């Protein structure tokens, strides 16, 4: 074509004009901390595993499961007992209803059990250690370090799991006859079926964790310094002194209370204590001789052991926490025709989680608010009515009434048995728990603690989170005096938390783009059926519903490949690098910020252009 | 083929034989018979073209712009008000370099509205960048259209073929209408210089700023000047294939030893030549110069006809249009074309004739030329002006300063 | 046939695409093989809605026609910012002639293609509101009446933006422009009849008329594609915010367009042969003030004091649109027969050759 000068131009010749020079600010892709991740006491990367699960199909479910497992080894359990602070924080809740994260986690956990997915044993290879956050097998060379975990509850098991992945040799010692801690002895079967519990515990044990049941650790002593050799492949670990643990076998019904007979000594490089809080608090309640009073913790423990506590027809549970709910609901299942919870304040002040209270009420548990127990007799209790004063504190009114009850179960809180720390220097206590630093180490170097025995919210999830945190802190502590630069680069040699990314707030989202999608609801057994059995009350989601639920996730602050930025740039200044990969073409980007405004999940922001 | 045929019809047949692919029609007197004839041919299947009845002349020119840019041979026709209405597009077509051919059936421009013939319409577009050819006869009108397509397409420049409204368009006379097989040999199919093609995309019609606009205009000027070489070639080609003279730059008539030459455009030349013949018979050395190609202005050809002959003492330019407040239009171009010596040595008089369809008679012309020979002609005058009427109107205006259009006032005076 | 939004629970229904959506359900814009009809380096302002709308519409048409497309552009912002010598950002065969003649030029292009035996090459004419609603109206009506095979796209930013934000026939009431300044007792554009070109197009009973905005990409692409199912004259009217002329933030362009539809001020609908066949329901209705507040061209309605009566009139206009086009819910054949709002297509209309 003989194009006339200037009148007619060749296509795309405008690319010579680099309009990027117009900018005063530029868009960048960011990765923010989703509120669910932020709220999870176990530090799960929830957004990421939902991202995997959304794809649907077995490979995707497995990838999602492995992402959970990178942080939390108990997804199936979580999906049944976690109180889901993630859902409370979920930004979707401000659109319609929070994403059913817990339901999806349960689905994935159950899938893993069904499909037999495992975490591999750490091979005896020589690959360098790198911390992995995505649940991929950690090719960790054995470090040669031995760590003792005291307590096979959620905290201890979680610590054991993470420590094993990091290459350490772990031994768990638990005074009970079964592992699981409060998961087994505090949470009834109808909330957490035992086959699920066993499957997830065994999966950890199969990784090579040594479990010694019926073993109580009685003392911890420091050992003299034992320096190790100088080997470039196994850089000198800390010349820290180890610990000698004295423990003894206990067994039988009195195992929990009787001091053990013989003891043995073993050396460990570090210790993680997670003995929980298994001692029910006892308030002084004046009682007649034949009044039947027991504590909830013992009762539930006994039920697990197969005992049949003598509860009678009418059971009163004193207290307003989750344990009180569990005790009342268990009592019903054991045949009590009436279970009433007596609590000194009102419903909104109850420490028990809403879910528990709801389910208890559905099962016909009644509640006596603003009441305290003054006197217990065989067959009845004397209740005093309370009223709340200006500060919200209950005050006695002097009015009394009788409540028919065959048995009074006390659920007034739990104490930890801290005897193991007797005589250990530099350890301090407060309020019935042991003090720990931000790295969960007690005052004594090398002794760490977590779970219900340290000051914290007392939930399974928190305990699991402690286990992970302690494992990493222990690992860092064990590497503390390494001279090898590679180690310093690759991993924290002292326990430093990595600064968190900024939170992905709701205001940063553009929720227009999310389809209207009502939340999926898990099936529940009808109340009438529930109270007669210990069958699981709440069912799980099927695959299509779980995928649907996962896709309701807004992916706050993290790109999930919606192509909106790529599509909405008037200057064609974004390049697509992959299915969910984008790059700004700064040669042409004028900095208009449409991409940032139209990013549904707020994974972009504007920053000033460099001068 | 020789036919007794109305001028418009002859043009339609010549255009049809040129195989246009897109024809746009918007009616305006006196062009209507051309497009009507073409429309009928298309509808009967005699002519394979798209015939678009558009909603205005502006649309007509716009549509042929689109068609030509797409690679189709495109044609339209208009006059007077219509030409003005499409003026923006007329300039646009030339600027884009599109080989559109358009018939302008010359008609006066209002106000006051007047449907009869003069050249004011085409003259108003003389600087638009189109080639302007003026037909003297219906034969030439038909022939010029065929030549116009060839010319336009070789140059990539639009061509306007002017023919006097009514005098030619509605006159029935003997015309040897160009036939299909003749035209097919003479006129190859349209090979566009630039074209809209999805397989080889370009952007046509960019915005050009100060840094390059002058150069674009220079090139447009050059393109027009190239026509000065091309037009005689095309006319020669035409003579070869059709056996007659038609077109070209200028037509000198008995100018060799003339002491007075009349310069004119269009059909009035017929009457002029009759007057010249009569005066020659009386011994007066008069000649005529017809300007066929008005744009580009054929400077060399005009000089060749008028310059260098010391016997030429007088030139009378017959203007069929008026530049109010200024005077003659052709005269200005003529003066600019002639050499300094000729301009100084020759008396050039401008006579405005035949505005709004007033007939130019042989009798008036003879009288005019007689006075011119005697040197009794003002430098600028109107032929057959009703001097009494205008003097009375001027006197009245001086006296009363009456407002309102002067035409209405005149009509009132005329009763 | 009306637009059935794909239901993909996440963002696939409204966003450009989604990594989990099958390719054929994603928008044209989400594809890295999209035509990029208007490519980088053009001189549009930051955040220009017209640049976005043009690429959206034409990339969709390019896919529908497999690249066999010629575009004719009127004078205006789109033409000026895309073809300043020596640069053009167009990657297609493109012609610019004048301000008011784009429809007529396109008619000529279509006629030429037909005469040259190349009818599979399709023609799009495009211009701003000035070139369409005012100076191009005569030619546009002629195109419609003749039914030439051209899709005309009007990018409506509601004023003559390229010449400095002067009022056009499409300027909404109360809006500030350079020729309807925000001064005096009645600041901004006067309340008038308005000129509803989509309805004018429908009155010509051409095969397909639709309105759209840059805020709903999927809908716009659907309409551009649907328009190419028909032959004959078709009209697409796209609302494209202009940050400069509207006084909105460049980053808010899509957001402002969204508010225009969600408030009811700009109804989004489709019509075939003069009858409305579908209207996009408002998802979450907002008061007109949400829309007005984002634009400095309406700032005089809020400062120095709020002009409640003017705002009320604008709200009333929005409410009228909602009632008239049935924007509260999707119009389908299953709706109550005694409640037609604008005449609905009574039977399935099969578009045919005109």
């Amino acid at each position: 074509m003989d194009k006339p000068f200037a009148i007619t131009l060749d296509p795309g010749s405008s690319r010579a004009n680099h309009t990027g020079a117009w900018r005063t600010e530029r868009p960048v892709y960011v990765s923010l901390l989703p509120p669910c991740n932020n709220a999870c006491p176990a530090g799960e990367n929830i957004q990421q595993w939902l991202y995997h699960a959304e794809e649907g199909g077995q490979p995707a479910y497995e990838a999602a499961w492995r992402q959970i497992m990178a942080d939390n080894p108990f997804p199936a359990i979580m999906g049944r007992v976690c109180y889901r602070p993630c859902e409370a924080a979920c930004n979707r809740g401000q659109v319609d209803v929070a994403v059913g994260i817990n339901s999806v986690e349960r689905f994935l956990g159950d899938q893993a059990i069904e499909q037999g997915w495992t975490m591999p044993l750490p091979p005896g290879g020589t690959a360098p250690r790198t911390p992995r956050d995505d649940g991929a097998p950690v090719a960790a060379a054995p470090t040669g370090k031995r760590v003792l975990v005291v307590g096979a509850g959620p905290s201890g098991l979680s610590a054991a799991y993470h420590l094993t992945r990091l290459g350490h040799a772990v031994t768990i010692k638990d005074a009970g006859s079964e592992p699981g801690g409060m998961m087994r002895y505090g949470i009834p079967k109808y909330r957490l079926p035992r086959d699920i519990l066993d499957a997830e515990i065994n999966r950890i044990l199969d990784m090579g964790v040594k479990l010694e049941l019926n073993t109580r650790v009685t003392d911890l002593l420091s050992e003299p310094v034992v320096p190790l050799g100088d080997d470039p492949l196994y850089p000198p670990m800390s010349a820290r002194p180890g610990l000698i643990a004295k423990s003894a076998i206990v067994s039988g019904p009195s195992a929990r209370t009787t001091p053990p007979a013989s003891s043995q000594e073993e050396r460990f490089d570090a210790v993680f204590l997670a003995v929980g809080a298994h001692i029910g608090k006892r308030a002084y309640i004046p009682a007649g001789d034949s009044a039947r009073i027991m504590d909830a913790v013992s009762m539930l423990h006994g039920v697990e052991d197969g005992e049949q506590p003598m509860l009678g027809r009418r059971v009163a549970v004193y207290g307003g926490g989750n344990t009180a709910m569990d005790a009342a609901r268990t009592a019903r299942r054991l045949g009590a025709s009436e279970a009433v919870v007596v609590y000194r304040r009102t419903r909104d002040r109850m420490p028990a989680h809403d879910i528990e209270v709801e389910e208890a009420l559905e099962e016909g548990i009644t509640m006596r608010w603003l009441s305290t127990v003054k006197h217990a007799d065989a067959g009845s209790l004397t209740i005093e009515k309370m009223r709340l004063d200006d500060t919200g504190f209950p005050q006695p009114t002097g009015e009394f009434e009788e409540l028919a009850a065959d048995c009074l179960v006390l659920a007034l809180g739990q104490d930890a048995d801290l005897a193991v720390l007797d005589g250990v220097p530099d350890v301090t206590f407060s309020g019935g728990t042991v003090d720990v630093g931000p790295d969960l180490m007690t005052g004594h170097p090398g002794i760490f603690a977590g779970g219900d025995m340290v000051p914290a919210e007392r939930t399974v999830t928190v305990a699991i989170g402690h286990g992970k945190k302690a494992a990493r802190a222990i690992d860092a502590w064990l590497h503390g005096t390494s001279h090898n630069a590679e180690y310093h680069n690759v991993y924290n040699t002292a326990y430093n938390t990595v600064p968190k990314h900024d939170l992905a707030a709701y205001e940063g989202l553009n929720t227009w783009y999310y389809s209207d999608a009502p939340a999926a609801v898990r099936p529940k057994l009808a109340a009438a059926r529930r109270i007669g059995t210990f069958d699981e009350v709440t069912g799980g989601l099927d695959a299509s519903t779980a995928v649907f639920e996962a896709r309701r996730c807004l992916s706050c602050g993290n790109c999930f490949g919606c192509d909106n930025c790529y599509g909405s740039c008037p200057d064609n200044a974004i390049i697509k690098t992959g299915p969910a990969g984008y790059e700004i073409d700064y040669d042409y980007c004028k900095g208009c910020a449409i991409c940032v405004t139209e990013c549904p999940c707020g994974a972009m922001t504007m920053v000033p252009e460099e001068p | 083929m020789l036919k007794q045929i109305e001028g418009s019809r002859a043009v339609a047949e010549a255009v049809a034989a040129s195989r246009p692919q897109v024809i746009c029609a918007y009616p305006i007197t006196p062009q209507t018979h051309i497009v009507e004839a073409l429309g009928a041919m298309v509808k009967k299947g005699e002519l394979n073209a798209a015939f678009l009845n558009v909603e205005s002349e502006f649309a007509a020119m716009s549509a042929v712009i689109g068609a030509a840019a797409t690679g189709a041979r495109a044609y339209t026709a208009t006059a007077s008000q219509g030409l003005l209405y499409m003026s923006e597009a007329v300039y646009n077509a030339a600027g884009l370099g599109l080989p559109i051919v358009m018939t302008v059936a010359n008609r006066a421009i209002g106000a006051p509205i007047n449907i009869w013939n003069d050249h004011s319409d085409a003259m108003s577009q003389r600087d638009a960048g189109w080639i302007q050819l003026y037909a003297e006869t219906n034969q030439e009108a038909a022939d010029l259209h065929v030549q116009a397509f060839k010319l336009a397409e070789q140059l990539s420049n639009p061509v306007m073929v002017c023919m006097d409204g009514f005098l030619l368009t509605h006159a029935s006379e003997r015309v040897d209408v160009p036939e299909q097989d003749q035209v097919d040999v003479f006129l190859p199919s349209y090979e566009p210089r630039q074209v809209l093609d999805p397989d080889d995309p370009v952007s046509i019609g960019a915005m050009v700023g100060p840094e390059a606009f002058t150069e674009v205009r220079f090139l447009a000027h050059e393109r027009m000047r190239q026509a000065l070489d091309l037009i005689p070639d095309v006319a020669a080609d035409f003579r070869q294939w059709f056996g007659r003279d038609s077109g070209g730059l200028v037509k000198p008539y008995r100018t060799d030893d003339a002491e007075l030459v009349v310069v004119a455009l269009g059909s009035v030349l017929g009457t002029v030549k009759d007057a010249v013949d009569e005066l020659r018979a009386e011994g007066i050395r008069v000649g005529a110069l017809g300007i066929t190609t008005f744009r580009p202005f054929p400077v060399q050809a005009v000089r060749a006809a008028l310059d260098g002959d010391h016997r030429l003492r007088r030139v009378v330019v017959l203007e069929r249009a008026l530049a109010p407040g200024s005077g003659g239009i052709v005269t200005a171009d003529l003066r600019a074309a002639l050499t300094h010596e000729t301009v100084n040595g020759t008396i050039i008089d401008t006579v405005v004739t035949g505005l709004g369809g007033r007939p130019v008679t042989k009798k008036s012309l003879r009288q005019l030329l007689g006075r011119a020979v005697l040197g009794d002609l003002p430098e600028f005058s109107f032929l057959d002006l009703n001097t009494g009427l205008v003097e009375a109107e001027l006197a009245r205006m001086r006296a009363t300063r009456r407002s309102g259009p002067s035409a209405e006032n005149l009509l009132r005076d005329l009763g | 046939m009306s637009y059935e939004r794909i239901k993909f629970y996440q963002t696939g229904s409204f966003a450009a695409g989604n990594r989990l959506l099958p390719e054929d359900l994603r928008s044209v814009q989400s594809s890295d093989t999209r035509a990029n009809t208007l490519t980088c380096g053009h001189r549009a302002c930051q955040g220009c809605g017209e640049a976005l709308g043009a690429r959206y519409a034409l990339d969709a048409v390019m896919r529908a026609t497999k690249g066999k497309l010629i575009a004719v552009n009127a004078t205006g912002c789109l033409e000026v910012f895309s073809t300043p010598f020596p640069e053009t950002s167009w990657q297609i065969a493109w012609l610019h002639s004048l301000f008011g003649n784009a429809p007529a030029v396109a008619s000529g292009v279509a006629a030429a293609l037909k005469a040259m035996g190349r009818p599979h090459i399709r023609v799009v004419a495009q211009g701003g509101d000035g070139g369409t609603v005012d100076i191009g109206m005569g030619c546009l009506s002629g195109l419609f009446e003749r039914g030439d095979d051209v899709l005309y796209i009007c990018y409506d930013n509601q004023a003559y933006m390229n010449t400095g934000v002067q009022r056009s026939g499409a300027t909404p009431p109360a809006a500030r422009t350079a020729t309807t300044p925000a001064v005096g007792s009645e600041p901004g554009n006067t309340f008038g009849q308005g000129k509803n070109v989509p309805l004018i197009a429908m009155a010509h009973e051409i095969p397909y008329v639709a309105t759209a905005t840059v805020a709903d990409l999927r809908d716009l692409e659907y309409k551009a594609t649907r328009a190419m199912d028909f032959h004959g004259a078709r009209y697409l009217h796209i609302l494209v915010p202009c940050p400069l002329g509207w006084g909105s933030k460049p980053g808010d362009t899509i957001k402002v367009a969204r508010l225009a539809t969600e408030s009811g001020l700009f109804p989004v609908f489709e019509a075939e042969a003069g009858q409305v066949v579908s209207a996009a329901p408002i998802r979450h209705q907002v008061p007109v003030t949400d829309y007005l507040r984002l634009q400095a061209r309406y700032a005089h309605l809020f400062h120095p004091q709020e002009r409640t009566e003017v705002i009320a009139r604008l709200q009333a206009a929005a409410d009228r649109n909602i009632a008239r086009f049935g924007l509260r819910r999707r119009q389908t054949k299953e709706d109550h027969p005694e409640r037609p709002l604008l005449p609905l297509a009574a039977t399935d209309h099969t578009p045919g050759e005109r």
Side-chain angles (χ1 to χ4, degrees), chain A residues 181-491:
Chain A
M182 283 308 243
M183 296 192 291
R184 187 182 302 277
Y185 295 106
I187 298 175
K189 288 190 180 68
Y190 56 82
R191 279 216 287 140
L192 180 55
R194 298 312 183 225
D195 55 336
I196 302 290
L197 175 64
D198 289 336
E200 296 211 308
I201 292 176
N202 288 335
R203 192 166 54 211
I204 296 176
L205 301 178
D206 288 345
M207 289 167 69
V209 173
K210 198 166 157 214
L211 173 65
E212 293 174 13
L213 293 166
N214 300 306
T215 306
R216 169 166 307 157
V217 175
T218 53
D219 298 283
L220 293 171
L221 309 163
S222 296
E223 73 152 5
V225 174
V226 179
L228 297 174
D230 219 343
D231 182 326
L233 282 179
Y234 296 90
M237 306 276 260
S238 76
R240 297 188 196 284
L243 294 144
I244 311 289
K246 285 168 85 168
S247 58
I249 309 294
V250 293
S251 60
S254 54
R256 286 185 281 134
T257 49
T258 310
S262 62
S263 75
Q264 63 166 137
E265 286 188 3
E266 283 168 275
R267 187 206 164 271
F268 294 96
D269 297 293
V271 174
F272 178 62
L273 300 175
V275 301
H278 289 259
I279 304 172
K281 284 190 176 149
R282 305 205 58 128
Y284 175 66
I285 296 175
D289 291 333
S290 31
R292 207 179 301 155
I293 305 178
M294 64 181 73
D295 81 271
V297 176
S298 313
M299 180 197 103
L300 292 169
H301 200 291
V303 170
E304 189 58 31
D305 281 340
E307 291 166 17
Q308 283 281 27
M310 304 288 288
L311 297 174
R313 235 178 15 93
R314 298 163 302 186
V315 175
V317 177
Y318 194 22
N322 297 312
T323 310
M325 298 301 113
D326 282 335
R329 294 170 72 185
T330 300
R332 283 282 269 155
R333 282 163 173 79
L334 291 174
S337 52
E338 273 171 47
V340 55
V341 171
V342 177
Y343 179 58
R344 63 199 177 109
R345 293 201 278 185
T346 49
R347 168 144 183 200
D348 51 308
R349 310 256 175 196
M350 285 178 90
H353 279 260
D354 262 341
I355 304 163
E356 305 259 24
V357 178
E358 279 302 323
E359 290 187 352
L361 290 171
E362 281 165 16
E363 288 170 8
I365 313 292
T366 52
M367 312 277 175
R368 283 294 279 263
W369 311 113
L370 294 167
S371 304
T372 56
V373 177
K374 280 325 241 196
H375 197 276
D377 288 304
S380 82
L381 301 170
T382 308
I383 307 289
E384 177 171 15
K385 290 195 195 166
M386 311 292 277
R387 60 160 185 85
L388 293 180
D389 65 14
D390 304 330
T391 63
F393 209 75
Q395 299 294 343
T397 60
E399 291 169 40
F400 299 87
E401 59 185 7
E402 294 297 307
L403 176 67
D406 299 313
C407 166
L408 174 64
V409 178
L410 302 178
L412 301 170
Q414 287 139 235
D415 284 329
D417 178 356
L418 302 171
V420 66
L421 285 167
D422 285 347
V424 177
D426 301 322
V427 175
T428 60
F429 305 86
S430 48
T433 53
V434 60
D435 295 329
V436 288
D439 58 351
L440 295 178
M441 191 159 78
T442 64
H444 189 289
I447 300 180
F448 296 76
D452 287 356
M453 67 180 287
V454 303
E457 192 187 347
R458 285 179 171 177
T459 65
V460 172
T461 322
V462 169
I464 291 170
H466 284 179
K468 175 177 106 176
K469 195 177 205 178
R472 290 181 179 177
I474 290 170
D475 181 77
W477 186 80
L478 289 173
H479 281 91
T481 58
S482 163
H483 296 297
N484 187 310
E486 210 178 280
Y487 271 69
H488 282 272
N489 290 340
V490 155
Y491 202 66

Side-chain angles (χ1 to χ4, degrees), chain A residues 5-7 9-19 22-24 50-52 54-55 92 510-518 548 550-553 555 560-564 566-574 576 579-580 585 588 590-595 597-598 600, chain C residues 6-20 26 28-34 36 38-49 51-52 55-56 82-92 215-217 249-255 258 261-262 283-284:
Chain A
F5 169 70
I7 307 278
L9 305 173
D10 282 322
S13 46
S14 63
R15 290 192 71 102
N17 183 20
H18 286 193
T19 53
W22 300 13
R23 280 198 307 275
T24 53
L50 285 175
Y51 179 90
H52 287 303
E54 282 162 3
E55 250 184 83
R92 180 117 202 176
N510 188 337
T511 57
W512 171 267
Y513 290 100
Y514 297 101
S515 301
D516 300 322
F548 171 92
R551 284 181 180 172
R552 292 181 66 246
C553 169
S555 190
F560 61 109
C562 77
D563 294 331
N564 243 18
Y566 176 65
S568 68
C569 174
D571 291 278
N572 190 27
I574 296 187
K576 212 168 164 181
D585 188 345
Y588 298 104
K590 292 172 182 163
C592 73
I594 288 181
C595 53
T597 310
E598 300 305 314
Chain C
I6 60 146
K7 290 192 179 65
F8 185 79
Y9 299 106
Q10 195 176 49
T11 58
S13 308
F14 295 96
N18 190 287
R19 78 190 192 285
L20 302 173
R26 301 187 204 181
V28 174
Q29 284 305 306
S30 76
S31 163
D32 55 4
T33 58
R34 72 187 189 208
N36 279 326
L38 184 71
T39 189
C40 327
H42 60 69
R43 305 199 185 174
C45 301
Q46 300 166 316
C48 171
L52 199 57
R55 194 184 73 229
Y56 281 179
S82 65
T83 54
F85 167 80
E87 296 153 12
T88 174
S89 359
W90 296 104
Q91 311 232 65
I92 55 169
D216 195 340
L217 166 67
K249 294 205 294 231
D252 278 353
T253 294
I254 293 181
K255 180 173 170 182
R258 187 176 300 128
T261 57
E262 292 294 283
R283 228 175 138 197
H284 309 295

Side-chain angles (χ1 to χ4, degrees), chain C residues 60-79:
Chain C
V61 173
M62 281 290 277
R63 183 180 278 188
T65 60
K66 298 191 179 32
K68 298 297 181 197
L69 177 66
I70 294 177
V72 175
N73 217 128
T75 308
C77 266
L78 183 60
E79 166 263 322

Side-chain angles (χ1 to χ4, degrees), chain B residues 152-215:
Chain B
E153 287 168 17
Q154 281 194 5
L155 269 178
S156 289
N157 208 86
V159 177
M160 200 181 286
V161 179
C162 301
M163 61 189 294
D164 288 323
F166 289 115
L167 293 178
L168 292 183
T169 56
H170 287 62
S172 213
E173 54 187 357
R174 208 171 72 148
V175 176
D176 189 354
V177 179
E179 298 199 29
Q180 188 67 71
D181 49 356
Q182 294 177 298
V183 177
D184 283 344
V185 171
F186 175 77
L187 179 65
S189 60
Y190 173 32
E191 298 268 339
R193 175 186 179 186
Q194 59 171 340
V195 71
L196 294 169
D197 179 3
D199 295 330
D200 183 10
V202 286
S203 301
I204 301 178
M207 181 170 81
V208 177
E211 69 281 350
F213 191 80
T214 306
E215 284 66 30

Side-chain angles (χ1 to χ4, degrees), chain B residues 322-329 332 380:
Chain B
L322 171 68
S326 173
I329 296 169
F380 178 78

